[in-house]
């Protein structure tokens, strides 16, 4: 299994940093099983995280992105998705 995301910055984007974290949901707990971070000094970033999904298990994927423009202003956002195998 894998989680992936792609970010395209607006004109003037100088840096994009993205972190994808995969959590296995067990009862009320979230167990981090895989994480990857990448930073580029450009307007486009694609990131993919491969992980082994167990049968009948539930997962939460969180993607956090920081985008910096030529004026040094950084905007951040986060998105979560849930899924099962």
């Amino acid at each position: 299994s894998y989680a992936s995301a792609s970010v395209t910055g607006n004109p003037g984007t100088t840096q994009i940093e993205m972190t994808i974290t995969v959590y296995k949901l067990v009862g009320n707990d979230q167990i981090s099983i895989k994480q990857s971070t990448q930073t580029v000094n450009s307007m486009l970033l694609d990131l993919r995280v491969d992980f082994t999904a167990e049968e009948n298990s539930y997962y939460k994927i969180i993607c956090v992105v920081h985008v910096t423009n030529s004026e040094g202003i950084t905007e951040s956002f986060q998105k979560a998705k849930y899924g099962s195998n």
Side-chain angles (χ1 to χ4, degrees), residues 23-34:
Y23 296 92
K24 181 179 178 185
L25 304 178
V26 181
N28 292 329
D29 295 327
Q30 299 182 125
I31 301 166
S32 176
I33 61 169
K34 195 80 178 258

Side-chain angles (χ1 to χ4, degrees), residues 4 15 27 30 32-33 36-39 55 61 65 70 77 82-84:
S4 65
Q15 185 178 75
Q30 299 182 125
S32 176
I33 61 169
S36 183
T37 300
Q38 186 173 352
T39 302
E55 213 172 299
I61 314 293
V65 179
S70 58
F77 61 93
Y82 295 85
S84 62

Side-chain angles (χ1 to χ4, degrees), residues 7 12 17 24 32-34 36-37 41 44-45 50-51 55 61 63 65-66 70-71 78-85:
V7 175
E17 178 184 296
K24 181 179 178 185
S32 176
I33 61 169
K34 195 80 178 258
S36 183
T37 300
N41 294 319
L44 177 63
L45 176 55
D50 294 304
F51 65 98
E55 213 172 299
I61 314 293
C63 179
V65 179
H66 305 287
S70 58
E71 296 174 2
Q78 174 176 306
K79 184 168 185 170
K81 291 193 96 171
Y82 295 85
S84 62
N85 189 24

